[in-house]
Structure formats: C-alpha cells, structure tokens
Amino acid sequence: MKELKILVILIIVIGALYYGVEPYAHSIMEPKTAPADFAFKDLKPIDLSKGVASKGKDLVAQNCVACHSIESQKIPAPMDHASAGASFGVVPPDLSHIASVINPQFLAHFIKDPTKAAKLTHKYKDDHPYPMPAFAQFSDQDLADIVAYLTSIAPKKLTDQQVFQQACERCHDIKYDKLYAVTDHKDLHRYLGSNAPDLSMMIRSLGREKLEVFINDPQKLLHGTAMPRVGLTKQAQEQVINYLEQTGDSKRHQRHGLGIQIMLFFAVMTLLAYLWKQKVWREVH
C-alpha cells in the first residue's frame, strides 16, 4: 500500500511538471504559426482561365530564354552554370518542369513581381536588386498565356527527386544522395548573404510538420531569412519532404515500429516482475 501511495505521488508530481512547465516553455519558445497556405491568399487572384499557350510560347521566347533554358523544347541555357552563377548569384532554373511544381497563381505573380511573391522585399531593393527582373509591363492576359504555355510543356508526373531538383537543387546540396547545388557556393553567399545549408539531415532537424510550414513560407518561422518563398503546390511540397525523408531519415518507420515493440517488452517485463514479486512475498508470509 505504501508503494502504491509513492507511485501515485510520483505520477502527480511528474504530471504537474510536464503539463505545467513543458507546454508553457514550448508556447514561449515556439509560438504557434499559421498552417501552410497553398492558395497563396496574400496574392490577388489573376484570371488564368483564358490563357493561350501559343501566345505564351512567343512571350517566353521574347522575354525568358535570354536567361532560362527549356531543355524539353531543345532550348539550351545561354550561359554555363559557372558564368550564370557569377552573373546572377544563382543559376536561373530550367523551365521544362516549372509548371509541374509551382502553383499557377504564384507563378504568374512571380513573373510580374518576383521579390514580392517570394517575400524578399526586406532583402532586395533598388541598390541590391533581385536577380530576376519584374515584368510589371505584362498584362494579366500575358501572364495567363505564359502560364498556359509552361503548363502545356510540363510533365504530368515527376519523381520525388526530380521535384527536389527543380525546387531546391539550385541552392542546396543533398550530400547523402550525392546531389550538389547547381550554383557555386561562393556565388550563393554573395546572392543570399549567407550559406545555403546541406539538406541531408534537415528532416531530422526540423521534422515533417515544421518543414511543411517553412517550405511554404520561410518567413513564418525564420523572419528575415534570405530563403525565398518558392510557391510549391501541396503535392510538390509533399514530394520534396518525402525525398528529404528518404535520404535523411529512411529508417523512420522502422524506428517508430521498434519503439512500440520496446514499450510492449517493458510492459510484459513489468507484469512478470510484479507476478514474481507477489509469489515471493506469498512464500515469505
């Protein structure tokens, strides 16, 4: 009976410490943030329903291929990666898959005003402009035509690794999978003002839930960061996180399964120890 009372007291004390201190500390150190917004509600909707791909193709040829390649359409990059990185600070993305991973509304807004769409107005100003210029002269119909063209050439399905390469590889390494940033790190540092981290262990560092918010809008968790809002669709973002999990935490499900087995083992051992103790004390008395 005395042991039971001690156990009850310990449960009350530990419970009070856990529910009184730990959640409070978390609420102070990690305040709640709004969930990921894949509708990009802060951007005024543009009517993309009447885009004409053939007109968009002409606009892309006149305005985009001076910096971007479209390998699927046999349009090569105008500069090699080293020259592009030295010129812009970051290698411009190939546009073959861009509409497979980027939200169409975000893509239209990014073309019109990339600094605003990427939420980097605090970092890039007139004296330190963003590498991609704003195409503010484009009408909504022009933007709809360009998005229609990029959508028409985009593959319907990409692997998790292909999505990561389209969305992240221009700046980030995944050394665990022997993928390296397309842009030279020195150029990236000049462009970003800091080093872009290797993402091999990012899934273990932040976890899936934080990554879902951070990738969708880095400013929510790291205000003032140089990482742009990329504008991924929900599906593309899930594929990026899946890829990070495959490379950095491939044993996660096995580890969680083993944890349950260990808990069951301790439960059985506790029961056996209790029964053994009862048997011993019955013999003593």
Side-chain angles (χ1 to χ4, degrees), residues 10 22 49 52 64 75 87 108 139 143 164 177 188 207-209 231 236 243 264-265 270-271 273 278:
L10 284 175
E22 200 272 347
S49 62
V52 181
C64 306
I75 299 175
S87 298
S139 66
L143 295 169
F164 174 85
D177 204 23
L188 278 175
R208 178 174 280 269
E209 291 184 2
Y243 176 69
L264 290 174
F265 171 78
T270 301
L271 178 61
Q278 293 292 92

Side-chain angles (χ1 to χ4, degrees), residues 102-175:
I102 304 294
N103 175 283
Q105 282 291 330
F106 182 91
L107 183 56
H109 278 277
F110 188 85
I111 295 168
K112 190 170 186 176
D113 189 345
T115 313
K116 180 182 177 182
K119 287 193 169 182
L120 291 177
T121 53
H122 62 283
K123 185 169 182 60
Y124 296 100
K125 304 181 186 299
D126 292 341
D127 58 341
H128 181 45
Y130 192 71
M132 176 172 160
F135 287 84
Q137 73 275 19
F138 282 165
S139 66
D140 286 0
Q141 185 58 51
D142 292 334
L143 295 169
D145 293 342
I146 292 173
V147 172
Y149 170 65
L150 294 175
T151 302
S152 72
I153 63 172
K156 302 300 180 187
K157 190 174 182 180
L158 295 173
T159 66
D160 294 346
Q161 186 186 68
Q162 286 175 316
V163 174
F164 174 85
Q165 288 177 296
Q166 178 68 58
C168 313
E169 198 192 7
R170 289 190 301 134
C171 299
H172 294 286
D173 297 332
I174 289 279
K175 292 178 180 175

Side-chain angles (χ1 to χ4, degrees), residues 1-28:
M1 192 63 185
K2 182 180 178 182
E3 295 169 342
L4 183 60
K5 289 181 179 177
I6 294 173
L7 177 62
V8 171
I9 292 172
L10 284 175
I11 291 174
I12 292 173
V13 171
I14 294 173
L17 288 174
Y18 178 79
Y19 288 104
V21 176
E22 200 272 347
Y24 175 73
H26 266 274
S27 69
I28 299 299

Side-chain angles (χ1 to χ4, degrees), residues 145-285:
D145 293 342
I146 292 173
V147 172
Y149 170 65
L150 294 175
T151 302
S152 72
I153 63 172
K156 302 300 180 187
K157 190 174 182 180
L158 295 173
T159 66
D160 294 346
Q161 186 186 68
Q162 286 175 316
V163 174
F164 174 85
Q165 288 177 296
Q166 178 68 58
C168 313
E169 198 192 7
R170 289 190 301 134
C171 299
H172 294 286
D173 297 332
I174 289 279
K175 292 178 180 175
Y176 278 21
D177 204 23
K178 298 180 180 178
L179 284 183
Y180 299 94
V182 173
T183 308
D184 185 88
H185 287 284
K186 291 181 181 177
D187 293 326
L188 278 175
H189 191 280
R190 177 167 50 85
Y191 159 58
L192 298 171
S194 60
N195 294 321
D198 173 18
L199 301 183
S200 297
M201 291 293 287
M202 194 55 70
I203 188 71
R204 299 286 292 273
S205 175
L206 291 184
R208 178 174 280 269
E209 291 184 2
K210 276 190 177 178
L211 278 175
E212 287 175 351
V213 175
F214 184 74
I215 296 174
N216 177 257
D217 186 351
Q219 301 299 329
K220 283 183 180 176
L221 292 181
L222 193 60
H223 184 68
T225 181
M227 176 171 164
R229 179 168 66 166
V230 182
L232 297 180
T233 64
K234 185 176 183 179
Q235 179 183 341
Q237 180 167 299
E238 287 179 354
Q239 286 188 264
V240 168
I241 296 174
N242 288 342
Y243 176 69
L244 294 176
E245 191 172 280
Q246 292 160 21
T247 54
D249 196 13
S250 60
K251 303 291 185 183
R252 175 173 172 269
H253 297 293
Q254 183 179 348
R255 187 175 67 249
H256 287 186
L258 182 62
I260 294 173
Q261 293 175 25
I262 291 174
M263 293 293 289
L264 290 174
F265 171 78
F266 279 117
V268 171
M269 290 303 295
T270 301
L271 178 61
L272 291 175
Y274 175 78
L275 294 175
W276 179 74
K277 174 179 175 295
Q278 293 292 92
K279 179 178 180 298
V280 169
W281 280 103
R282 276 198 303 271
E283 292 174 356
V284 171
H285 292 289

